[in-house]
Structures are given as C-alpha cells and as structure tokens.
Amino acid sequence: MTTTATKSGAARGINARWAGAWLARPLASFHLVVTIATLLTVLGLVMVLSASSVESYAGGGSAYALFIQQAMFAAIGTGLFYLALRLPLKRLRQWSFPMFALSVLALALVLVPGIGSEVQGARRWFVIGPISVQPSEIVKVTLVVWGAHLLASRRSERAGLKDILVPLVPAGLLVCLLVVLQPNLSTTIALGVVLAALLWFGGLPVRLFITISVSGVIAAGVLALSAGYRSDRMRNFFNPEADPQGIGYQARQALYSLADGGIWGRGLGQSRAKWSYLPNSHNDFIFAIIGEELGFLGCALVLGLFALFVYTGLRIAARSADPFLRLLTATATTWITAQALINIGYVVGLLPVTGLQLPLVSAGGSSLAITLFMFGIIANAARHEPEAVAALHAGADGRFSRLLRLPKPEVYSPAKASSARARNAARAQQQRKRPPPQAQRGKPVPPVRRPQPGPAPRRGTSSLRSTRAWEPNYPMPHARERGRDR
C-alpha cells in the first residue's frame, strides 16, 4: 500500500514538473490559444452536425445543410485567424477607430428597411447572396480594439476621469442603443460586458465602477421587462412551473436533455431532444445536446477548455509589456468567457434565457468567424510577450510559425513610446499656436478675449487633443519603467 502511494505521488510530482517546464517555454501561451481555438471549433462543428441533422433533413432534404454553412464560416474564420496573426500592432491601432466607425455605421444601416433583413421581427442581418452578416458581432471586436487603444493612449500620471470616460462611454452607449433598436438584448448585454471590462482594466475607480455597473444592471432589467417576450422569459425564470408547455418549454427540455445524458452520455449522435423536442438545439441550447450525447464528461471538457482560456488570456495580459495589449487581451478574455458562462448558465437553469451563443460551439456564422478573428488577435498578443519576442528573434520560432511564415513581432520600446508622445504633444501645441484663417488671408483678426486668472488646473486632467483616439501611438511607458511598482 505504501509503495503504491509513493509511486503515485512521484508520478504526480513528475507530471507537475513537466507541466511547469512546458508552461515556462516562451511560446507556451501562443500554443495554448491556438489549441483551445482549434478544439472548441472542431467540437462545435461535430455537435452542430449532430444537433442540426434532423432539422436540416426535415426542412430541406439534406442532413448536412446547416453543417456545410457552419463549416464554410469556420473556413472564413480560419482565414481571419491567420490574418490577425500577421497583422502588425501598429496597423491594428491605426485602423481601430475607422473600423469602429464603420461598424457603428453598419449598425445604423441594418435598421433601414430594404437594407437590413428582418427575421421574426428582428432586423439584425445583411444578407449578401448565401451569406448573412450580423454587424452586432463585428462591433464587439471593434469596440474592444478601439477602446483598448483609446485607454492605453491616455493612461498617464496626468490622466483623469474625463480621459477614461469620454468618448468611450458615450460611444459604447450609442452602440448599445443601436443594438437595442434591432431588438437584440443578448448582444447588448455582451457589449455591456465589454464596456465594463474596458473601464475596469482601464483604471476606473472602484466606487465609480460599481455605480456604473449597478446602473447598467438596472437598465438591463428595465429592458428585459419592456418587451413582451423578454418579460415572459423573466417571469418564467422566477416561476418555471407557471407555463411548462409554453414559454418555459425550451428551458425545461434542456434540463431533461442534461439529465438524460448522465455521466457518460447516450453516445455521439444519439440525442433524443434534437428530434424536434428542444427548439434551437443546434444554436442557443447546444450545451444541452453536448450533455445528452457526451454526458457530464463532455460538459466538463467544455468548461475545462474555457477555464484554460481564462488562465491563458490573463497570463498573456500579465506578461505583456505593452499597455495596449494588456487592455486588449484582458477585455477580450472577459467578454468571451462571460458570454460562455451566460449561455451555460441559462441552459442549466441558473440564469434567465437571453439568447447568447456559446462561443465557437453554437451554430452561427458571423459569431464563429468574428470570434476566431478575436482569438487570432489574442494569439498575436501572445507572440508579443517579451520572452516570446526574444525567442522569435533568436530563431526559436518552431515548425508551426515557420510553416505559416509569420512575421517576427516588433519589440516594444518605452523610449519610442515617449518620443511618439512628445511628437503628438508638439503637434498639438503647433495647432494651438497656428494663426486663424482670417489672418492667413490678410483679413483683420477679431480680438481674442484673454482668459481671466483663475485657480490652477486640477492634476489629473490632460488635453484630449494630445492623445487623439485615431492616432497609432504608444504614449505611456510601463508603470515600473517610471520608477513606480504597480
């Protein structure tokens, strides 16, 4: 007995040392992100094929119709993943504001009759031939990238609350309003999570962050009770026995599917609920089909992959030297994880049904492609960790990077960031000193009213023009490089 326990303890110690040594490798975070994205995408394709085969056959005569569409968007998402890996950070920051503005314009255009496609009373899609694009999925990524760029540009010792809140919060509220008008409360909740994560990791004071969060929760509750179908879902959540064959039917059947799976599951493809017993089994409630066919172990696998993603994303954020990558990776990790937890929460009955999809697993072309693009940006950030940059420039890029011919990441330089900040400040000062157009044309210049002497400006505010949101600069060195430990 003692010998067996000693051998098992030694084996666990060896495995722990091996795992620690592997995680200490420079490109471990990059490989983890690629592996997690691949496993979740493959699992999603398999489960979409299993869950949608009956409905596809009954609707169009082919059991592979929805699966082929999902596989096509998975191929598009793989291309976007590779594009994100090759995208330089300078270009990503430079294009962040134009892409965000275009995504907001698309949100406005999709509400116009004749441009946006209306399905079941909701106007959320652009239909281009066989492809449908959902702008609300695109705006999640653009808000994450532009918000991270904006806050990283304005993080300094003189930055105040106005620099954090304006124009990020007004832009985020505008986006939420446009999504609510579709109507799409579930995506509005996801955008609220993105905005809250940006403010939290951007350094908003805790008291003000709690105030804004409570206000957001109250607004979400008001919106949930404003429409008929949303208020029915809320009433069903608090009283599931009131209408078991009506509004509560879907949530009830999801619980039956999970219970039917047990520990080991009924087997892949052997679900009973997909035979028209569980509506949207391939989309919002695909986690219930996973539990029925793969059992508790399959559900644990999904939860384990998302838990590993949380660890990897926060590890990349903690190890990055660039403040932009810190904010970007932490916010993206929070958004994807929160969306997964909300989906799993309402499938198992812990939350009211919202309609948020399970990232990379649920059927949905726009969501799959855009989430893979976001995973590609996170993998790109992993290659910009200081140890990864040193290893890649030393030639230790590995077979995978050489096969994909990925460019070597740029080295983050605090000196270059300081010089860029100085150039922006000098440019803003020249614009303030430039004579008005009347003086340039020889016309008399009206007298300028001199400001009255007043109190000195409060420390903590800075000129908004010195850190314009659309300029790709690195205005702030790391906190430790300023001689102050975080």
Side-chain angles (χ1 to χ4, degrees):
M1 180 71 69
T2 305
T3 305
T4 304
T6 304
K7 289 182 178 179
S8 61
R12 286 194 299 269
I14 293 174
N15 293 333
R17 287 194 298 271
W18 179 86
W22 190 87
L23 289 175
R25 298 173 62 182
L27 294 174
S29 300
F30 170 72
H31 292 143
L32 282 174
V33 173
V34 175
T35 303
I36 293 170
T38 303
L39 291 178
L40 286 175
T41 304
V42 172
L43 176 64
L45 289 174
V46 173
M47 297 311 302
V48 166
L49 174 60
S50 175
S52 66
S53 57
V54 175
E55 181 179 346
S56 298
Y57 183 78
S62 174
Y64 301 96
L66 287 175
F67 168 75
I68 292 175
Q69 183 180 1
Q70 186 77 356
M72 180 181 63
F73 276 100
I76 296 174
T78 303
L80 292 176
F81 185 95
Y82 180 69
L83 177 63
L85 280 178
R86 297 188 58 87
L87 193 62
L89 294 183
K90 184 177 181 181
R91 293 289 178 264
L92 184 64
R93 300 190 68 171
Q94 184 180 9
W95 296 340
S96 61
F97 180 76
M99 295 306 296
F100 175 73
L102 288 176
S103 62
V104 174
L105 179 61
L107 281 179
L109 290 178
V110 80
L111 298 174
V112 179
I115 298 179
S117 178
E118 184 176 356
V119 179
Q120 296 181 354
R123 198 177 295 275
R124 306 174 185 174
W125 296 271
F126 291 121
V127 178
I128 306 173
I131 299 176
S132 60
V133 180
Q134 195 170 355
S136 57
E137 294 292 337
I138 301 176
V139 80
K140 295 177 187 177
V141 176
T142 58
L143 180 60
V144 170
V145 178
W146 175 68
H149 164 68
L150 179 66
L151 294 180
S153 300
R154 297 182 176 185
R155 286 185 62 183
S156 64
E157 293 181 354
R158 298 178 60 85
L161 291 178
K162 188 176 181 180
D163 298 322
I164 299 176
L165 297 177
V166 180
L168 178 61
V169 172
L173 294 178
L174 173 62
V175 169
C176 292
L177 175 62
L178 291 175
V179 176
V180 167
L181 293 177
Q182 292 181 357
N184 192 351
L185 182 60
S186 59
T187 304
T188 306
I189 294 175
L191 290 170
V193 171
V194 170
L195 185 60
L198 285 171
L199 294 176
W200 174 261
F201 294 111
L204 191 70
V206 177
R207 185 173 302 176
L208 185 57
F209 176 82
I210 293 176
T211 302
I212 294 177
S213 300
V214 172
S215 303
V217 171
I218 294 175
V222 172
L223 290 174
L225 297 175
S226 60
Y229 72 97
R230 292 198 293 258
S231 60
D232 291 341
R233 287 178 176 178
M234 294 297 295
R235 286 196 299 268
N236 174 75
F237 174 71
F238 291 107
N239 189 12
E241 302 297 333
D243 190 9
Q245 296 298 322
I247 191 65
Y249 177 79
Q250 193 175 23
R252 194 181 187 90
Q253 290 297 321
L255 294 178
Y256 289 159
S257 299
L258 290 171
D260 196 20
I263 300 295
W264 306 101
R266 296 183 54 84
L268 187 62
Q270 302 301 316
S271 170
R272 296 175 179 174
K274 67 183 180 182
W275 292 84
S276 301
Y277 289 104
L278 178 60
N280 290 328
S281 59
H282 61 284
N283 193 351
D284 299 343
F285 285 83
I286 197 170
F287 187 76
I289 304 300
I290 295 175
E292 185 180 6
E293 295 188 352
L294 304 181
F296 174 79
L297 297 180
C299 295
L301 173 63
V302 175
L303 291 174
L305 287 175
F306 279 107
L308 184 60
F309 171 68
V310 173
Y311 166 77
T312 306
L314 296 182
R315 166 191 165 103
I316 297 171
R319 292 162 67 98
S320 297
D322 190 347
F324 167 69
L325 292 181
R326 288 173 177 263
L327 286 167
L328 174 67
T329 310
T331 302
T333 303
T334 304
W335 153 46
I336 295 174
T337 306
Q339 183 168 328
L341 292 180
I342 291 174
N343 176 274
I344 296 173
Y346 70 69
V347 170
V348 301
L350 296 178
L351 294 174
V353 177
T354 58
L356 274 177
Q357 298 173 332
L358 188 60
L360 299 182
V361 181
S362 295
S366 299
S367 176
L368 175 61
I370 294 302
T371 307
L372 279 175
F373 179 72
M374 193 73 253
F375 266 84
I377 294 178
I378 297 174
N380 194 352
R383 299 180 77 247
H384 283 78
E385 293 180 1
E387 294 181 1
V389 172
L392 291 173
H393 281 272
D397 46 357
R399 297 180 181 178
F400 186 74
S401 297
R402 288 195 298 268
L403 178 64
L404 297 179
R405 296 184 178 181
L406 299 177
K408 288 183 172 54
E410 299 178 359
V411 180
Y412 175 73
S413 174
K416 186 183 297 185
S418 300
S419 62
R421 181 176 54 185
R423 286 196 303 269
N424 291 333
R427 187 184 306 144
Q429 187 175 5
Q430 289 179 0
Q431 291 179 354
R432 286 194 297 268
K433 291 182 178 180
R434 184 177 300 173
Q438 295 89 342
Q440 295 178 4
R441 294 194 297 264
K443 297 181 180 180
V445 182
V448 179
R449 181 178 299 178
R450 297 183 177 274
Q452 299 296 327
R458 179 177 59 87
R459 182 177 178 85
T461 59
S462 60
S463 174
L464 297 182
R465 299 183 62 183
S466 62
T467 54
R468 288 176 291 185
W470 54 84
E471 291 184 354
N473 53 22
Y474 295 82
M476 169 193 155
H478 193 268
R480 294 172 182 169
E481 294 162 2
R482 297 198 305 263
R484 184 184 65 187
D485 193 7
R486 187 175 296 275

